[in-house]
């Protein structure tokens, strides 16, 4: 049962995270394993005009205060479409339209354009997490009902936060990502050792393909990153989006990448490919973020078609760097066609949903239960085909 706000708490909704002091927000966000709920990352989305109303993302963050102390926050957005989420509810929107229900706007909880597990409400240490969550859900419900919002969706939810939301009556929808886990590897050869002989030869061949192209990979992180890498990464990102159409739509602006140099490069690592004869500018690179023992792949690109560069920049070089830097988990980003053959098993992730239109809820809740069973079967089928040796299956 959801609980109303206690008398000694106050609520504040804001369309700009900049209205919340960074030190107060980050006191809640920095202890989390995910980097994608930190103030700078979310603020950069807004000030760069990447996540703004004109792009279909209206920031609508919920904060809870005790006197002047921020004790909880939920990054939230009012969405006028379903782009940039990577949890595909377009059929839900189509169904709603056909039965005369306005599906948009909807409320969304996630870090924009970031299909990486870890979303949760930010709650101060020492607070009763379940009690504060119940209060926040109550406030979200009131807001959505008052403003005729059809539904609320929390995407890529932190596994430890998921059961707390479920207790509030949210419906769990299963999906999968492809995640590399560091099985106590000490070298890249240890990683190769989990594969069967055929795939081990294939990975070695793909690594050697760069040498044949006179290229070498280099990892550059934090303060070592040249300033020009960030606008260059935008150009690579934009080019990749143009090549591959709607799946890689250009959600982020050039300003977003440029701003990261000033306030977020301590979380960034680039895997850059250089021509051995000309090493001033990369011919291609991938852009990743890291925090504690987690590595996240985000974007990549190259202006040239170079054999196996994608595999090296997006998988092999990050894995080698992860092993050397005691990274325990690597989420390479959306998609999966190439990942399962390179040591990324399918892993369940969760989205949690609330429906404020009773007709929509009655139709979709049983539908989700059926989809979840099929999703579980698909995950098992994917992982049964991983190219590992028998003792690593």
């Amino acid at each position: 049962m959801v609980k109303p706000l206690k008398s000694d708490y106050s609520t504040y909704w804001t369309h700009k995270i900049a209205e919340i002091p960074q030190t107060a927000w980050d006191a809640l966000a920095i202890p989390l394993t995910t980097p994608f709920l930190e103030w700078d990352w979310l603020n950069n989305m807004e000030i760069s005009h990447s996540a703004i109303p004109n792009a279909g993302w209206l920031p609508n963050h919920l904060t809870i205060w005790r006197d002047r102390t921020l004790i909880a926050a939920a990054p939230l957005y009012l969405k006028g479409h379903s782009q940039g989420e990577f949890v595909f509810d377009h059929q839900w929107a189509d169904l709603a339209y056909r039965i005369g229900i306005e599906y948009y706007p909807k409320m969304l909880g996630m870090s924009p354009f970031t299909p990486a597990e870890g979303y949760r409400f930010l709650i101060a240490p020492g607070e009763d997490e379940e009690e504060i969550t119940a209060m926040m859900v109550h406030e979200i419900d009131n807001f959505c009902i008052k403003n005729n919002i059809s539904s609320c969706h929390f995407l890529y939810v932190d596994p430890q936060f998921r059961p707390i939301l479920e207790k509030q009556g949210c419906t769990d929808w299963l999906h999968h990502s492809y995640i590399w886990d560091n099985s106590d590897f000490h070298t890249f050869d240890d990683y190769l050792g989990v594969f069967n002989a055929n795939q081990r030869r294939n990975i070695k061949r793909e690594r050697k393909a760069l040498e044949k192209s006179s290229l070498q990979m280099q990892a550059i992180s934090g303060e070592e990153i040249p300033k020009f890498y960030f606008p260059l990464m935008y150009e690579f990102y934009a080019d990749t989006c143009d090549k591959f159409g709607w799946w890689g739509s250009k959600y982020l602006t050039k300003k977003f990448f440029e701003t990261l140099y000033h306030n977020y490069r301590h979380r960034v690592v680039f895997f850059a490919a250089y021509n051995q004869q000309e090493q001033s500018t990369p011919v291609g690179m991938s852009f990743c973020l890291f925090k504690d023992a987690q590595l996240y792949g985000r974007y990549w690109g190259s202006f040239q078609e170079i054999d196996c560069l994608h595999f090296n920049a997006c998988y092999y070089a990050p894995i080698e760097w992860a092993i050397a830097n005691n990274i325990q988990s690597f989420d390479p980003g959306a998609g999966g066609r190439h990942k399962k053959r390179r040591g990324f098993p399918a892993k369940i992730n969760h989205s949690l949903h609330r429906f404020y239109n009773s007709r929509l809820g009655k139709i979709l809740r049983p539908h989700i239960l059926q989809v979840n069973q099929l999703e579980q079967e698909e995950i098992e089928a994917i992982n049964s085909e991983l190219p590992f040796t028998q003792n690593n299956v």
Side-chain angles (χ1 to χ4, degrees), residues 97-118:
Y97 173 78
R98 286 189 281 115
I99 62 176
I101 296 172
E102 294 288 339
Y103 190 71
Y104 303 111
K106 62 180 182 179
M107 183 78 82
L108 184 72
M110 74 173 298
S111 184
F113 322 116
T114 308
E117 188 176 78

Side-chain angles (χ1 to χ4, degrees), residues 25 60-63 72-76 119-122 136 140 154:
W25 184 283
N60 197 50
H61 311 307
L62 170 63
T63 59
L76 296 167
Y119 181 83
R120 58 174 299 124
F121 297 167
L122 285 57
M136 298 176 78
I140 291 170
F154 306 109

